Amino acid sequence: MVMTEEQARVRQQTKRILNRFGRRRGNLVPILQKVQGEIGYLPREAMLEIAEFLDMPEIDVYGVVTFYNQFRLNPPGKHSVRVCLGTACHMKGGYITLDAWKRRLGIDRGQTSPDREFDLDTVACVGCCVMAPVTVVDDKPQGKVAPTKVDGILLSFKLEKERQGEESR
Amino acid sequence: MKTVSLTIDGKRVKAHEGEKVLWAALDNGIYVPNLCTLRDNSEPSAACRLCFVEVEGKKQPVPACTETIEQGMVVNTKGPGALRLARTALELLLASHPVDCAHCPSSGSCELQKIAAHLGVKLKTRRFRKLLRELLVDSSSPVFIYDPNKCVLCGRCVWVCRERLGIGVLGFAHRGFERVVTTFGDGPIAESKCRDCGECVVACPTGALTFKDKQGTVKSAHKERVETETTQ
Ligand code: SF4
Ligand code: FES
Ligand code: FES
């Protein structure tokens, strides 16, 4: 299989990061955090490179990446949307909120919209349960996010984008 | 090797020192349900929770696959506390299992059927709400078919592929109800480093992994090997 330019770049970048670590399996999570910190997500090529470096089955790297919420398999969008499904938010209809986001953005959890504007995921309790159901948008917790509020948030992003477009014209 | 004598279900038996209760029982013709361990696995995960037994002097039932035998130990495989736990574990497994035995190539040699009969649990149990996973069947391998919907996550295939054969194609990924046995990136088996040895199929206690015959259809004769391996 021929490597694309992007794949080769990911390999190089990952190798550079790996140089700073010992070949201990216990380093897996810190390595993944570092690689995601620099690349923004964990591309396939990066996971393969890490598995080789730590001499462990590739599936185990994939297993850890898919186990922790923190790790992403897709490039991040410009805006991050994190729907809380902690106990309180669950009780207050967190799943309805999640469905609303899914439908409006046309993506599933763990995915990024094709225009790379938004990425969608879930979290388990962000510590402001009184505001349930909560969605954290770009690190800012939004409270009582009913489907209509989802529309409102998306609209404000759209307006902002239009304004920026006008200003730069 | 030193031998130890103990009592299981009122029967005096002998077994090698250091042996686990599960193997001591099976070797002496006393069946204890089990899914997640194999004899040569020295670090059983005790994940399936089906092998509970009661041991005199212990307040709670213990998993037989991790409990080491002791001289003079008195084991009861039929204690109500142990059976209650095992039945619940089985019913939870069955709640997300297709139970489509009439069309399953493993019917007749499936460990789930055997365990259900042993514990007196109906395969179509209604205690828990049915919650099926709708996962794609992978028939890309030239030798076997993998139907993740029938997988009970026992980990036998994972262990065999990795520890016994040193290949490591299969593993666990994702979390919670979405947890599956899969390959790197959830890719088809044929695109993994699988060497088509079929040992995972032999290890699988259910119909999740089944052999294709030369025509590419499924056959289940191999399952006899599993039977003798796990019940000897
Ligand atoms: S495929 Fe079979 S052996 Fe592998 S984990 Fe599932 S039930 Fe167990
Ligand atoms: S459960 Fe959502 S913020 Fe606590
Ligand atoms: S065989 Fe003991 S817990 Fe699975």
Side-chain angles (χ1 to χ4, degrees):
Chain A
M1 209 169 49
V2 247
M3 246 190 258
T4 66
E5 221 169 276
E6 171 153 12
Q7 285 172 334
R9 202 176 52 241
V10 165
R11 288 263 183 184
Q12 280 313 319
Q13 215 170 342
T14 311
K15 277 202 181 105
R16 249 197 334 271
I17 296 167
L18 287 172
N19 277 335
R20 295 179 243 157
F21 287 92
R23 289 176 190 263
R24 275 192 311 113
R25 287 186 191 193
N27 279 339
L28 176 58
V29 169
I31 289 173
L32 291 170
Q33 286 168 328
K34 196 89 203 161
V35 172
Q36 174 160 301
E38 291 196 16
I39 304 183
Y41 71 114
L42 291 161
R44 204 183 152 84
E45 302 299 317
M47 290 190 281
L48 290 172
E49 200 66 46
I50 295 166
E52 198 184 307
F53 180 79
L54 294 177
D55 187 28
M56 61 195 289
E58 293 148 6
I59 170 68
D60 281 0
V61 175
Y62 184 68
V64 169
V65 169
T66 55
F67 183 85
Y68 293 109
N69 241 330
Q70 177 190 11
F71 297 125
R72 10 185 337 114
L73 293 164
N74 296 302
K78 213 159 93 210
H79 302 291
S80 89
V81 178
R82 297 288 173 274
V83 183
C84 183
L85 293 180
T87 312
C89 293
H90 179 95
M91 294 306 292
K92 286 290 209 170
Y95 275 94
I96 298 171
T97 309
L98 176 62
D99 275 341
W101 283 111
K102 279 192 195 168
R103 228 168 315 122
R104 300 294 190 273
L105 296 174
I107 52 175
D108 213 339
R109 64 210 250 193
Q111 295 182 338
T112 303
S113 59
D115 59 2
R116 295 213 182 173
E117 278 291 312
F118 296 94
D119 60 61
L120 177 65
D121 216 332
T122 56
V123 283
C125 192
V126 289
C128 43
C129 313
V130 281
M131 290 158 57
V134 174
T135 297
V136 186
V137 181
D138 290 338
D139 294 330
K140 222 179 123 235
Q142 305 276 356
K144 313 233 184 292
V145 186
T148 44
K149 185 145 179 191
V150 170
D151 291 336
I153 295 170
L154 285 173
L155 184 65
S156 64
F157 277 125
K158 204 174 139 209
L159 293 177
E160 192 187 322
K161 210 179 160 194
E162 279 171 11
R163 214 187 42 236
Q164 279 170 358
E166 263 159 38
E167 273 168 19
S168 64
R169 233 184 288 138
Chain B
M1 219 194 269
K2 259 177 73 183
T3 62
V4 166
S5 50
L6 65 159
T7 312
I8 307 179
D9 292 354
K11 185 175 162 189
R12 293 290 298 269
V13 303
K14 282 193 192 339
H16 290 306
E17 190 178 22
E19 186 74 278
K20 302 296 181 208
V21 170
L22 176 65
W23 304 110
L26 294 178
D27 287 346
N28 286 284
I30 299 165
Y31 181 66
V32 176
N34 66 91
L35 282 178
C36 69
T37 189
L38 290 166
R39 193 181 282 266
D40 47 340
N41 181 354
S42 58
E43 287 170 3
S45 59
C48 75
R49 317 313 277 168
L50 286 165
C51 68
F52 277 110
V53 295
E54 294 177 13
V55 173
E56 225 175 79
K58 296 209 182 221
K59 279 210 205 91
Q60 307 284 346
V62 291
C65 63
T66 51
E67 190 72 11
T68 308
I69 56 165
E70 274 165 39
Q71 179 65 36
M73 193 179 218
V74 180
V75 178
N76 179 8
T77 73
K78 304 221 158 59
L83 291 182
R84 209 186 114 239
L85 288 173
R87 283 190 186 118
T88 300
L90 179 66
E91 283 173 306
L92 283 165
L93 279 182
L94 291 171
S96 55
H97 189 88
V99 194
D100 184 25
C101 304
H103 302 103
C104 181
S106 294
S107 185
S109 61
C110 172
E111 291 279 323
L112 287 179
Q113 292 175 326
K114 179 175 173 179
I115 295 169
H118 180 84
L119 293 175
V121 169
K122 284 207 192 74
L123 285 167
K124 303 257 178 203
T125 168
R126 303 217 164 234
R127 183 162 158 217
F128 300 110
R129 181 162 57 95
K130 196 94 186 171
L131 204 54
L132 293 175
R133 301 162 291 180
E134 274 149 38
L135 301 164
L136 291 179
V137 174
D138 181 352
S139 45
S140 66
S141 155
V143 267
F144 62 84
I145 293 174
Y146 172 46
D147 181 351
N149 300 294
K150 295 179 185 168
C151 175
V152 292
L153 301 176
C154 69
R156 284 194 199 178
C157 54
V158 173
W159 188 85
V160 165
C161 184
R162 168 170 321 194
E163 305 294 333
R164 205 187 274 166
L165 305 162
I167 307 173
V169 162
L170 299 173
F172 292 102
H174 305 282
R175 189 166 51 159
F177 192 64
E178 273 131 52
R179 194 128 175 103
V180 281
V181 164
T182 183
T183 57
F184 177 72
D186 294 310
I189 303 258
E191 282 167 29
S192 72
K193 292 181 176 160
C194 176
R195 296 181 204 158
D196 305 332
C197 71
E199 288 299 317
C200 56
V201 185
V202 177
C204 181
T206 73
L209 288 163
T210 44
F211 280 114
K212 288 176 174 176
D213 65 17
K214 288 192 196 73
Q215 285 79 46
T217 50
V218 180
K219 76 170 179 212
S220 58
H222 71 282
K223 291 285 178 183
E224 276 156 35
R225 256 173 85 193
V226 182
E227 289 285 288
T228 47
E229 231 175 53
T230 49
T231 56
Q232 63 194 340

